[in-house]
Amino acid sequence: VLRIPATGTARKIGKTAIGMVALAAMLKRTELFPLEAMESAISRFQKPDIARLNRQALAAGSGLID
């Protein structure tokens, strides 16, 4: 079990960002696949405003892991 301040981190970005914050932390911790691949998918398949928010959440969530 890994405890991270996902809720507090997401509040700084936007209330819908919590899932991406948690996912980014999990991806960085497990190295399931590169964060760059997730960022690329976000940019490619999401609308620009949503993609911007999710890229910020991705960076914030991955930043929670040493």
Side-chain angles (χ1 to χ4, degrees), residues 2-66:
L2 176 65
R3 294 183 184 266
I4 58 168
T7 303
T9 302
R11 281 189 184 132
K12 296 173 188 174
I13 300 166
K15 65 180 181 178
T16 62
I18 190 165
M20 187 58 69
V21 168
L23 178 61
M26 189 231 20
L27 288 176
K28 183 161 184 189
R29 175 75 181 239
T30 63
E31 297 180 349
L32 185 62
F33 59 86
L35 289 169
E36 293 81 13
M38 186 66 177
E39 185 174 2
S40 177
I42 288 168
S43 296
R44 183 171 180 189
F45 295 109
Q46 294 183 340
K47 293 180 181 181
D49 289 347
I50 295 170
R52 181 182 44 77
L53 177 86
N54 280 327
R55 283 192 302 271
Q56 289 175 352
L58 187 71
S62 66
L64 297 174
I65 305 298
D66 295 330

